[in-house]
Every structure is written in C-alpha cells, then in structure tokens.
C-alpha cells in the first residue's frame, strides 16, 4: 500500500517539476523561481525515496527503488 502512495507522490512531484519548466519556457515564471521550485521538487523526491527504502527494509523486502548511496 505504501509503495503505491509513494509512486503517486513521486509522479505528482515530477509532474509539478515539468509544469514549472513549461511555465518558465513560456515566460510565466522567472528563472530563479523555477530553479527554487525544482530544488524543492528534488529534495521532496529524495525524501520520498528514502522513506520508501526504510519501509521496504523494515518489512524485510528488497526495495524496488534503490538509492545506491
């Protein structure tokens, strides 16, 4: 169940990041604002991946999304 919630969250974050890029290319958002937004997206994706890895590790499963650090 958590895996599906995590995947949905990741898709939402990626979608938001892509939306920021499109809006910047259309001139609707300044470059610095876009970079700040993309930074936030990447931080949130990293956090979601870490949480998913912990859940799978605690459940004794091999995490399908390995961070490889």
């Amino acid at each position: 169940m958590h895996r599906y919630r995590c995947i949905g969250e990741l898709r939402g974050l990626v979608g938001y990041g892509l939306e920021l890029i499109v809006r910047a290319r259309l001139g609707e958002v300044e470059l610095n604002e876009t970079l700040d937004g993309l930074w936030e997206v990447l931080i949130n994706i990293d956090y979601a991946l870490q949480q998913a890895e912990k859940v799978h590790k605690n459940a004794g499963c091999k995490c399908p999304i390995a961070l490889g650090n």
Side-chain angles (χ1 to χ4, degrees):
M1 173 96 160
H2 183 272
R3 177 177 176 208
Y4 297 111
R5 197 171 41 217
C6 179
I7 290 171
E9 180 181 350
L10 292 175
R11 284 190 179 137
L13 288 168
V14 170
Y16 176 68
L18 292 172
E19 180 184 328
L20 281 173
I21 292 168
V22 169
R23 290 179 61 208
R25 286 186 173 262
L26 293 174
E28 297 175 3
V29 181
E30 292 183 16
L31 179 61
N32 283 338
E33 186 178 336
T34 301
L35 291 174
D36 288 345
L38 291 174
W39 176 269
E40 185 177 329
V41 166
L42 290 173
I43 294 298
N44 286 320
I45 288 172
D46 182 55
Y47 178 77
L49 289 173
Q50 287 177 19
Q51 294 306 309
E53 190 173 53
K54 283 181 187 177
V55 167
H56 287 279
K57 189 175 186 178
N58 290 339
C61 302
K62 182 178 179 188
C63 184
I65 306 170
L67 297 177
N69 287 352

